[in-house]
Amino acid sequence: MSENSAGAVIVISSHVVRGSVGNRAAVFALEALGFPVWALPTVVLPWHPGHGPSTRMTFPDDDFERVIDDLIRAPWLSEVKGVLTGYFGSAAQPKAVARLIAALREHNPELTYVCDPVIGDLGGLYVPEATATAIRDCLIPLATIATPNRYELAWMAGSELLDNNMIMQAALSLGPPRVLVTSAVPMMSGGTGNLLLSGRHALLSEHRLVDDPPNGLGDLIAALFLGRLLAGIDEEKALQLATASVFEILARTKKRGSDELTLERDQSSLLTPMALVHMRRLMHPAQRPKRPS
């Protein structure tokens, strides 16, 4: 990719001092792929909360609003071709970011916005419900691509998702033109999958399940999928490359015994992953024959 050919990307998520989650993962991945990145933290933490209690540095909502106002007035706004949002520190922050997305689309109607709704997992919501609701109601409708895990999608859809057919129906109801669901139901034994539903495809990319993975995989695949699409790669190949990168880095991290993704040692895995992933084409819900009434 030639310098700045695909434009800059704004990444808005959490920042940790130690580790490779949130902005630390997404910014590194996008810069490795050659994109200039504008990074805005929503909270600052010494490390991921999964490692134990720590101080949480937050920003007053008024200050966050003013930074968004500054970005909206920035003379370089036309440089931005993509936005990725992840974890938010308050219910007011998604509403402020919605204003930024609207301003960016005035400069570039083709802006690609990826909303990674970082709100929960198997154990339920880990953000206040008001924050999760603000992401669902203010940002998901603006997204070109949403990248929830299965449990986040279930919360937003208001229903349990027991199989991939249910996941696809929920993804369709969510609204964005593309929905990439991580932790989808695998078809291969001992595997895990990412399911991409778009207007054209229902694709499942699978790889071997790695137990007790480090945090940051969702941040990483959202950034890599966005980067590949902005580079002009078609969605099927973009999904295959993003999944292969994440699996390869995960496998290497576990082999080293690290409790954080070792992105700094695995840049080749970001650029030219060699890991094998299984790609399956599923029947798109729109292709299913309708039952007679």
Side-chain angles (χ1 to χ4, degrees):
M1 185 177 64
S2 62
E3 186 176 359
N4 292 342
S5 62
V9 180
I10 298 178
V11 180
I12 305 172
S13 191
S14 58
H15 176 88
V16 292
V17 176
R18 175 191 183 272
S20 298
V21 300
N23 269 14
R24 288 290 303 274
V27 172
F28 188 92
L30 286 162
E31 289 181 338
L33 292 178
F35 293 91
V37 178
W38 304 9
L40 174 61
T42 54
V43 297
V44 177
L45 303 162
W47 48 74
H48 187 278
H51 292 316
S54 65
T55 301
R56 176 187 175 100
M57 296 173 61
T58 59
F59 303 100
D61 289 336
D62 288 348
D63 287 347
F64 192 85
E65 289 269 3
R66 284 194 285 270
V67 170
I68 293 296
D69 289 337
D70 289 340
L71 292 176
I72 289 172
R73 293 191 297 266
W76 316 280
L77 212 60
S78 59
E79 296 175 1
V80 179
K81 300 299 186 294
V83 177
L84 169 61
T85 62
Y87 183 89
F88 285 100
S90 75
Q93 289 179 346
K95 299 172 185 177
V97 170
R99 295 194 294 108
L100 176 61
I101 301 298
L104 287 163
R105 287 216 163 109
E106 288 183 9
H107 288 267
N108 176 19
E110 302 303 314
L111 177 85
T112 300
Y113 168 41
V114 175
C115 179
D116 183 15
V118 183
I119 59 175
D121 213 322
L122 184 59
L125 292 180
Y126 47 61
V127 300
E129 187 169 347
T131 302
T133 299
I135 294 169
R136 181 194 65 194
D137 294 350
C138 299
L139 294 180
I140 289 290
L142 301 177
T144 318
I145 306 161
T147 61
N149 63 38
R150 191 200 323 176
Y151 313 104
E152 291 162 340
L153 178 60
W155 183 85
M156 290 187 289
S159 62
E160 194 174 6
L161 305 178
L162 302 176
D163 57 39
N164 285 333
N165 287 330
M166 298 175 75
I167 289 173
M168 287 189 284
Q169 292 292 347
L172 277 180
S173 70
L174 197 61
R178 289 180 173 129
V179 180
L180 173 57
V181 185
T182 58
S183 62
V185 179
M187 297 179 68
M188 60 182 282
S189 177
T192 186
N194 300 314
L195 197 161
L196 174 65
L197 190 73
S198 69
R200 299 174 55 198
H201 295 132
L203 301 168
L204 184 66
S205 61
E206 297 178 289
H207 61 77
R208 176 175 54 84
L209 180 65
V210 178
D211 292 329
D212 193 26
N215 294 292
L217 299 177
D219 307 304
L220 186 59
I221 197 166
L224 290 169
F225 187 60
L226 170 60
R228 296 299 189 179
L229 291 176
L230 289 177
I233 296 173
D234 69 83
E235 63 184 10
E236 184 169 1
K237 185 65 174 177
L239 176 61
Q240 184 265 323
L241 287 170
T243 303
S245 289
V246 169
F247 176 46
E248 192 169 303
I249 290 170
L250 172 57
R252 291 182 174 185
T253 296
K254 291 294 289 185
K255 187 175 181 179
R256 295 184 181 111
S258 175
D259 62 354
E260 292 285 348
L261 295 174
T262 51
L263 300 181
E264 72 287 345
R265 300 176 65 181
D266 294 319
Q267 294 187 55
S268 63
S269 299
L270 295 171
L271 298 172
T272 54
M274 304 298 290
L276 176 65
V277 299
H278 298 274
M279 298 294 296
R280 303 180 191 268
R281 290 177 176 267
L282 307 183
M283 181 175 286
H284 196 287
Q287 298 173 333
R288 294 195 182 97
K290 295 182 179 179
R291 296 178 180 178
S293 55

PDB file of all heavy atoms in Angstrom, residues 3-22:
ATOM      1  N   GLU A   3       2.024   5.144   0.552  1.00  0.00           N
ATOM      2  CA  GLU A   3       1.834   5.983   1.730  1.00  0.00           C
ATOM      3  C   GLU A   3       0.555   6.795   1.625  1.00  0.00           C
ATOM      4  O   GLU A   3       0.300   7.499   0.654  1.00  0.00           O
ATOM      5  CB  GLU A   3       3.036   6.919   1.891  1.00  0.00           C
ATOM      6  CG  GLU A   3       2.987   7.728   3.168  1.00  0.00           C
ATOM      7  CD  GLU A   3       4.228   8.573   3.344  1.00  0.00           C
ATOM      8  OE1 GLU A   3       5.117   8.504   2.474  1.00  0.00           O
ATOM      9  OE2 GLU A   3       4.296   9.303   4.333  1.00  0.00           O
ATOM     10  N   ASN A   4      -0.293   6.678   2.678  1.00  0.00           N
ATOM     11  CA  ASN A   4      -1.543   7.435   2.801  1.00  0.00           C
ATOM     12  C   ASN A   4      -2.549   7.123   1.692  1.00  0.00           C
ATOM     13  O   ASN A   4      -3.549   7.826   1.563  1.00  0.00           O
ATOM     14  CB  ASN A   4      -1.275   8.956   2.819  1.00  0.00           C
ATOM     15  CG  ASN A   4      -0.545   9.384   4.076  1.00  0.00           C
ATOM     16  OD1 ASN A   4      -0.526   8.666   5.064  1.00  0.00           O
ATOM     17  ND2 ASN A   4       0.073  10.544   4.021  1.00  0.00           N
ATOM     18  N   SER A   5      -2.321   6.067   0.886  1.00  0.00           N
ATOM     19  CA  SER A   5      -3.239   5.809  -0.224  1.00  0.00           C
ATOM     20  C   SER A   5      -4.630   5.459   0.255  1.00  0.00           C
ATOM     21  O   SER A   5      -5.607   5.732  -0.435  1.00  0.00           O
ATOM     22  CB  SER A   5      -2.692   4.673  -1.097  1.00  0.00           C
ATOM     23  OG  SER A   5      -2.591   3.467  -0.351  1.00  0.00           O
ATOM     24  N   ALA A   6      -4.713   4.828   1.424  1.00  0.00           N
ATOM     25  CA  ALA A   6      -6.022   4.459   1.947  1.00  0.00           C
ATOM     26  C   ALA A   6      -6.482   5.407   3.039  1.00  0.00           C
ATOM     27  O   ALA A   6      -7.534   5.211   3.617  1.00  0.00           O
ATOM     28  CB  ALA A   6      -5.994   3.026   2.474  1.00  0.00           C
ATOM     29  N   GLY A   7      -5.703   6.455   3.324  1.00  0.00           N
ATOM     30  CA  GLY A   7      -6.113   7.444   4.300  1.00  0.00           C
ATOM     31  C   GLY A   7      -5.825   7.042   5.728  1.00  0.00           C
ATOM     32  O   GLY A   7      -5.317   5.960   6.018  1.00  0.00           O
ATOM     33  N   ALA A   8      -6.158   7.952   6.638  1.00  0.00           N
ATOM     34  CA  ALA A   8      -5.939   7.738   8.063  1.00  0.00           C
ATOM     35  C   ALA A   8      -7.137   7.037   8.686  1.00  0.00           C
ATOM     36  O   ALA A   8      -8.245   7.034   8.144  1.00  0.00           O
ATOM     37  CB  ALA A   8      -5.692   9.077   8.752  1.00  0.00           C
ATOM     38  N   VAL A   9      -6.894   6.450   9.862  1.00  0.00           N
ATOM     39  CA  VAL A   9      -7.939   5.776  10.631  1.00  0.00           C
ATOM     40  C   VAL A   9      -7.961   6.381  12.031  1.00  0.00           C
ATOM     41  O   VAL A   9      -6.909   6.551  12.653  1.00  0.00           O
ATOM     42  CB  VAL A   9      -7.694   4.257  10.727  1.00  0.00           C
ATOM     43  CG1 VAL A   9      -8.800   3.582  11.547  1.00  0.00           C
ATOM     44  CG2 VAL A   9      -7.600   3.634   9.338  1.00  0.00           C
ATOM     45  N   ILE A  10      -9.141   6.705  12.519  1.00  0.00           N
ATOM     46  CA  ILE A  10      -9.313   7.128  13.905  1.00  0.00           C
ATOM     47  C   ILE A  10      -9.725   5.911  14.722  1.00  0.00           C
ATOM     48  O   ILE A  10     -10.674   5.208  14.360  1.00  0.00           O
ATOM     49  CB  ILE A  10     -10.382   8.234  14.034  1.00  0.00           C
ATOM     50  CG1 ILE A  10      -9.964   9.487  13.258  1.00  0.00           C
ATOM     51  CG2 ILE A  10     -10.607   8.583  15.507  1.00  0.00           C
ATOM     52  CD1 ILE A  10     -10.997  10.605  13.306  1.00  0.00           C
ATOM     53  N   VAL A  11      -9.006   5.668  15.816  1.00  0.00           N
ATOM     54  CA  VAL A  11      -9.313   4.557  16.717  1.00  0.00           C
ATOM     55  C   VAL A  11      -9.670   5.135  18.084  1.00  0.00           C
ATOM     56  O   VAL A  11      -8.894   5.900  18.664  1.00  0.00           O
ATOM     57  CB  VAL A  11      -8.140   3.574  16.842  1.00  0.00           C
ATOM     58  CG1 VAL A  11      -8.512   2.431  17.781  1.00  0.00           C
ATOM     59  CG2 VAL A  11      -7.747   3.025  15.478  1.00  0.00           C
ATOM     60  N   ILE A  12     -10.838   4.774  18.594  1.00  0.00           N
ATOM     61  CA  ILE A  12     -11.361   5.314  19.851  1.00  0.00           C
ATOM     62  C   ILE A  12     -11.704   4.139  20.764  1.00  0.00           C
ATOM     63  O   ILE A  12     -12.670   3.410  20.513  1.00  0.00           O
ATOM     64  CB  ILE A  12     -12.602   6.197  19.611  1.00  0.00           C
ATOM     65  CG1 ILE A  12     -12.281   7.315  18.607  1.00  0.00           C
ATOM     66  CG2 ILE A  12     -13.117   6.772  20.924  1.00  0.00           C
ATOM     67  CD1 ILE A  12     -13.497   8.124  18.172  1.00  0.00           C
ATOM     68  N   SER A  13     -10.907   3.953  21.807  1.00  0.00           N
ATOM     69  CA  SER A  13     -11.131   2.833  22.719  1.00  0.00           C
ATOM     70  C   SER A  13     -10.291   3.037  23.962  1.00  0.00           C
ATOM     71  O   SER A  13      -9.710   4.100  24.168  1.00  0.00           O
ATOM     72  CB  SER A  13     -10.781   1.502  22.033  1.00  0.00           C
ATOM     73  OG  SER A  13     -11.215   0.399  22.810  1.00  0.00           O
ATOM     74  N   SER A  14     -10.219   2.013  24.801  1.00  0.00           N
ATOM     75  CA  SER A  14      -9.458   2.082  26.040  1.00  0.00           C
ATOM     76  C   SER A  14      -7.961   2.034  25.759  1.00  0.00           C
ATOM     77  O   SER A  14      -7.517   1.541  24.722  1.00  0.00           O
ATOM     78  CB  SER A  14      -9.847   0.920  26.950  1.00  0.00           C
ATOM     79  OG  SER A  14      -9.621  -0.314  26.281  1.00  0.00           O
ATOM     80  N   HIS A  15      -7.186   2.526  26.712  1.00  0.00           N
ATOM     81  CA  HIS A  15      -5.724   2.473  26.622  1.00  0.00           C
ATOM     82  C   HIS A  15      -5.200   1.839  27.902  1.00  0.00           C
ATOM     83  O   HIS A  15      -5.615   2.204  29.007  1.00  0.00           O
ATOM     84  CB  HIS A  15      -5.130   3.873  26.467  1.00  0.00           C
ATOM     85  CG  HIS A  15      -3.635   3.892  26.466  1.00  0.00           C
ATOM     86  ND1 HIS A  15      -2.891   3.730  25.319  1.00  0.00           N
ATOM     87  CD2 HIS A  15      -2.737   4.035  27.487  1.00  0.00           C
ATOM     88  CE1 HIS A  15      -1.607   3.771  25.622  1.00  0.00           C
ATOM     89  NE2 HIS A  15      -1.490   3.955  26.926  1.00  0.00           N
ATOM     90  N   VAL A  16      -4.284   0.880  27.752  1.00  0.00           N
ATOM     91  CA  VAL A  16      -3.616   0.290  28.912  1.00  0.00           C
ATOM     92  C   VAL A  16      -2.133   0.631  28.863  1.00  0.00           C
ATOM     93  O   VAL A  16      -1.552   0.766  27.790  1.00  0.00           O
ATOM     94  CB  VAL A  16      -3.801  -1.247  28.974  1.00  0.00           C
ATOM     95  CG1 VAL A  16      -5.253  -1.606  29.266  1.00  0.00           C
ATOM     96  CG2 VAL A  16      -3.307  -1.915  27.695  1.00  0.00           C
ATOM     97  N   VAL A  17      -1.533   0.793  30.045  1.00  0.00           N
ATOM     98  CA  VAL A  17      -0.100   1.076  30.122  1.00  0.00           C
ATOM     99  C   VAL A  17       0.690  -0.178  29.741  1.00  0.00           C
ATOM    100  O   VAL A  17       1.637  -0.115  28.966  1.00  0.00           O
ATOM    101  CB  VAL A  17       0.267   1.555  31.543  1.00  0.00           C
ATOM    102  CG1 VAL A  17       1.768   1.767  31.666  1.00  0.00           C
ATOM    103  CG2 VAL A  17      -0.483   2.845  31.877  1.00  0.00           C
ATOM    104  N   ARG A  18       0.281  -1.321  30.297  1.00  0.00           N
ATOM    105  CA  ARG A  18       0.917  -2.602  29.984  1.00  0.00           C
ATOM    106  C   ARG A  18      -0.090  -3.479  29.262  1.00  0.00           C
ATOM    107  O   ARG A  18      -1.204  -3.670  29.727  1.00  0.00           O
ATOM    108  CB  ARG A  18       1.375  -3.306  31.255  1.00  0.00           C
ATOM    109  CG  ARG A  18       1.932  -4.719  31.014  1.00  0.00           C
ATOM    110  CD  ARG A  18       2.129  -5.481  32.317  1.00  0.00           C
ATOM    111  NE  ARG A  18       2.732  -6.795  32.076  1.00  0.00           N
ATOM    112  CZ  ARG A  18       2.028  -7.899  31.808  1.00  0.00           C
ATOM    113  NH1 ARG A  18       0.699  -7.857  31.751  1.00  0.00           N
ATOM    114  NH2 ARG A  18       2.651  -9.051  31.603  1.00  0.00           N
ATOM    115  N   GLY A  19       0.326  -4.031  28.152  1.00  0.00           N
ATOM    116  CA  GLY A  19      -0.542  -4.999  27.492  1.00  0.00           C
ATOM    117  C   GLY A  19      -0.882  -4.637  26.061  1.00  0.00           C
ATOM    118  O   GLY A  19      -0.437  -3.617  25.530  1.00  0.00           O
ATOM    119  N   SER A  20      -1.680  -5.510  25.450  1.00  0.00           N
ATOM    120  CA  SER A  20      -2.037  -5.366  24.034  1.00  0.00           C
ATOM    121  C   SER A  20      -3.534  -5.544  23.859  1.00  0.00           C
ATOM    122  O   SER A  20      -4.002  -6.473  23.203  1.00  0.00           O
ATOM    123  CB  SER A  20      -1.272  -6.403  23.192  1.00  0.00           C
ATOM    124  OG  SER A  20       0.126  -6.204  23.298  1.00  0.00           O
ATOM    125  N   VAL A  21      -4.284  -4.637  24.478  1.00  0.00           N
ATOM    126  CA  VAL A  21      -5.736  -4.636  24.338  1.00  0.00           C
ATOM    127  C   VAL A  21      -6.184  -3.230  23.963  1.00  0.00           C
ATOM    128  O   VAL A  21      -5.426  -2.265  24.054  1.00  0.00           O
ATOM    129  CB  VAL A  21      -6.446  -5.086  25.642  1.00  0.00           C
ATOM    130  CG1 VAL A  21      -6.027  -6.493  26.032  1.00  0.00           C
ATOM    131  CG2 VAL A  21      -6.155  -4.114  26.781  1.00  0.00           C
ATOM    132  N   GLY A  22      -7.442  -3.107  23.537  1.00  0.00           N
ATOM    133  CA  GLY A  22      -8.000  -1.804  23.209  1.00  0.00           C
ATOM    134  C   GLY A  22      -7.177  -1.090  22.155  1.00  0.00           C
ATOM    135  O   GLY A  22      -6.756  -1.668  21.148  1.00  0.00           O
TER     136      GLY A  22
END
